Every structure is written in C-alpha cells, then in structure tokens.
C-alpha cells in the first residue's frame, strides 16, 4: 500500500516498456525510431540496424525525433530506463524502452549491424 502511494508521489509508477515481439514488428514495419543510449564505442560494437545513437551521457530528450514513436535501448535496460524517465519528465508521451536491452535482442536472434 505504501509503495503504491510512494510511486504516485514520485511519479515512478510503471515504466513504459515494449515487449520483444512488438519491437520486432515495429522494427520490420519501420513504425518507430530506435534510439540506442549506449556510448559510441558500444554502439559501434553492434546495434539494431537503423538505430540511432544518443548516448545517455549526453542525452537530451528535446533532440529526439517527433514524427514517430521512439523506443530506447541500451545493453541491459538500466540506461534506457533512465533516459525514458528523462524523456517522460520532459513531456514526451510517445516513448518506451526495451527492458531486455541488446543482451536480450541478441539472445533472441535479433539482427545486429
């Protein structure tokens, strides 16, 4: 009970996430922009084809595209959740994160560039 009240007060209720199958469909249909918030050297080591790199260390929600929904991704979900909270605090509504990160994407056979 107290945790629910705390979540309401802090605004940290559930974090909008996208499930793997939904991300696969969106990627195939090009219906979203995938933003990888890992550092450039990590991004160069392999990323979802078509993803753009906006490292969390320099993340600015205002620099994200506004014409398509955005999906944030990192290595394991922590950094993308942080970036998501920043974007939600800045007023973005059409944004989610892939909680499993690149680790999950790769383990499930997702394409990597």
């Amino acid at each position: 009970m107290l945790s629910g009240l705390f979540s309401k007060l802090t605004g940290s209720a559930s974090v909008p996430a996208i499930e793997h199958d939904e991300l696969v469909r969106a990627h195939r249909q090009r219906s979203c922009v995938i933003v990888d918030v890992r550092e450039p050297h990590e991004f160069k080591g392999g990323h979802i084809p078509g993803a753009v790199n906006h490292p969390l260390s320099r993340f600015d929600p205002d620099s994200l595209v506004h014409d398509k929904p955005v999906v944030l991704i990192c290595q394991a979900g922590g950094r993308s959740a942080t970036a998501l909270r920043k974007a939600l605090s800045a007023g973005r509504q059409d944004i989610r994160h892939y909680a499993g990160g690149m680790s999950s994407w790769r383990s499930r056979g997702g394409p990597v560039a």
Side-chain angles (χ1 to χ4, degrees):
M1 181 173 202
L2 287 177
S3 64
L5 178 60
F6 182 73
S7 292
K8 288 179 184 175
L9 291 174
T10 62
S12 62
S14 66
V15 175
I18 188 169
E19 296 297 323
H20 181 78
D21 292 340
E22 189 179 0
L23 178 56
V24 169
R25 278 191 301 279
H27 181 251
R28 283 187 187 142
Q29 296 170 354
R30 296 185 178 130
S31 61
C32 70
V33 175
I34 299 171
V35 176
D36 192 317
V37 298
R38 296 176 299 155
E39 293 303 311
H41 70 278
E42 294 172 284
F43 184 78
K44 288 177 188 172
H47 56 273
I48 296 175
V52 295
N53 188 218
H54 288 276
L56 182 60
S57 62
R58 300 185 303 270
F59 187 76
D60 177 6
D62 293 332
S63 70
L64 299 172
V65 300
H66 292 276
D67 59 342
K68 282 188 176 182
V70 172
V71 175
L72 302 168
I73 190 167
C74 63
Q75 186 61 36
R79 288 177 280 180
S80 60
T82 298
L84 177 65
R85 285 190 292 273
K86 287 182 180 185
L88 291 170
S89 292
R92 287 299 295 256
Q93 298 296 315
D94 60 343
I95 191 162
R96 293 191 278 171
H97 89 119
Y98 180 57
M102 284 301 296
S103 295
S104 180
W105 180 261
R106 286 179 185 192
S107 73
R108 292 172 152 231
V112 176

